[in-house]
Amino acid sequence: MFNKIRKWFFKDPIEKRRQSFADVVTAALQKAGISDEIHFDEEQFLLRIGRDQLLHLGNFFVDFEECDGDGREEVVARLVQAFVGSLKGLPATFAEARDNIIVSIRNPIDLALATIHLKQEVTAGKEQAARRFAPDLDIALAYDTPQAIRLLTASDLEGWGVTFDEALVIAHKNLAALSTEFFDELAPGVYMGPWTDSFAVARFALTERFKELKVQGKPVVLVPNRDTIIVTGSASLESLEVAIDC
C-alpha cells in the first residue's frame, strides 16, 4: 500500500507524462515503418501524421497509465497496430468482408474521435455507421482482422451496396459465433464476461445471452470500460452493490 501511495505522490506532472507517452508512440510508429512527419499536438493530445492523419492518444494513455512494464508495451503495440491497420484498404466487396464484420458498442465521443481520425475535416460519408443503442452508448460496425479493428463508415457501406441494418444482421451473427463462452459468476447473481478480444462490451447487443443468467429481476448491464461487461439483476440490492464495486 505504501509503495502505491508513494508512486502516486511522486508522479511526474501530467504534461510531462503525456509528452513522454507521445514520444514513445512516435518512436514505435517510426519503427513500424511510418515515414511521414509526426508532430505532437499537446493542446489536443494527438499526433498529426503526414498531411491529414490524426491519432488521438487519450484512451490509450489512460490504459498506459494503469499498467507497468510489459503491460505498457502491449498498450503501445496495440495502438500502433490499430493505426497501421487503419491505413490498409477494405475488401472491394461485401461478400469478401462479411466474415470479418462485427458489432462494436462505443461511447458516442469515441465514435466522433474515430471519425475525425479518418479525416481532419469530416466530410459527408465519413461519419461512422452507427445508431444510438442505450444512453451514452452507440452500436456501430467494425471490420476486424488480426492486425487491427477499423470502424466502418457510411461511405464504406454505400460502396459495398448494403444498408446499416443488413450489415448489422451479419455483424450480430459473427459476434454471437465468437461468444460461446459462459459468463463468469463473480457472486450469486453477478456475472462478468470472460472475453479479452476488444469486443467485451459489444456483447451488450447479445441480449439473448442474458436469459442464461440467474439474476433477480430484469438484467442490469454495467460497462465500466470498453473491456468489461457485468450483468446482474434489478431486484437484488446486494447484487447491484457487488456489481458496482467490481
Side-chain angles (χ1 to χ4, degrees):
M1 175 63 73
F2 176 75
N3 287 336
K4 289 184 177 180
I5 295 174
R6 183 175 59 183
K7 182 178 179 180
W8 185 85
F9 272 109
F10 287 93
K11 271 189 174 181
D12 289 330
I14 183 66
E15 294 81 7
K16 184 175 181 179
R17 302 202 312 272
R18 285 186 168 191
Q19 178 67 62
S20 297
F21 180 64
D23 291 343
V24 169
V25 174
T26 297
L29 287 169
Q30 292 170 337
K31 186 176 180 179
I34 302 299
S35 58
D36 292 329
E37 182 179 353
I38 302 175
H39 170 70
F40 175 47
D41 186 326
E42 184 176 357
E43 182 177 353
Q44 298 190 46
F45 196 36
L46 57 82
L47 296 178
R48 299 183 180 275
I49 304 172
R51 296 179 60 183
D52 59 4
Q53 294 288 339
L54 304 178
L55 181 56
H56 291 266
L57 302 176
N59 285 338
F60 286 94
F61 178 68
V62 172
D63 293 345
F64 186 84
E65 288 268 280
E66 293 177 349
C67 298
D68 289 310
D70 293 343
R72 290 191 164 192
E73 291 182 8
E74 290 176 6
V75 170
V76 174
R78 193 169 75 244
L79 172 55
V80 171
Q81 189 177 67
F83 177 77
V84 173
S86 72
L87 301 178
K88 299 178 181 178
L90 293 169
T93 67
F94 183 68
E96 296 175 280
R98 61 180 293 150
D99 289 344
N100 294 89
I101 296 174
I102 198 165
V103 173
S104 179
I105 291 182
R106 303 288 186 99
N107 184 297
I109 295 175
D110 290 339
L111 291 176
L113 291 176
T115 296
I116 296 171
H117 169 70
L118 288 174
K119 196 170 182 66
Q120 188 167 347
E121 294 184 4
V122 179
T123 57
K126 287 295 185 183
E127 64 275 8
Q128 303 301 323
R131 67 171 54 139
R132 185 54 47 90
F133 177 74
D136 298 321
L137 290 175
D138 283 357
I139 188 167
L141 299 169
Y143 182 75
D144 180 38
T145 69
Q147 291 74 39
I149 299 169
R150 171 174 168 173
L151 292 173
L152 297 177
T153 67
S155 60
D156 292 331
L157 299 183
E158 183 180 354
W160 285 333
V162 295
T163 66
F164 179 86
D165 288 328
E166 290 169 337
L168 182 60
V169 169
I170 300 301
H172 190 281
K173 289 181 179 178
N174 290 340
L175 179 62
L178 296 174
S179 309
T180 56
E181 303 96 326
F182 196 74
F183 279 78
D184 295 327
E185 188 171 18
L186 303 181
V190 182
Y191 298 85
M192 178 181 287
W195 303 283
T196 58
D197 56 3
S198 300
F199 290 99
V201 173
R203 272 76 180 194
F204 199 162
L206 302 179
T207 54
E208 65 274 12
R209 294 295 307 274
F210 302 153
K211 297 177 182 177
E212 306 169 0
L213 308 180
K214 297 179 180 180
V215 300
Q216 298 181 38
K218 295 181 179 179
V220 175
V221 182
L222 292 79
V223 285
N225 57 61
R226 58 190 171 187
D227 294 319
T228 306
I229 179 169
I230 300 169
V231 185
T232 188
S234 60
S236 172
L237 180 59
E238 182 179 353
S239 295
L240 287 167
E241 290 176 343
V242 172
I244 291 171
D245 288 339
C246 288

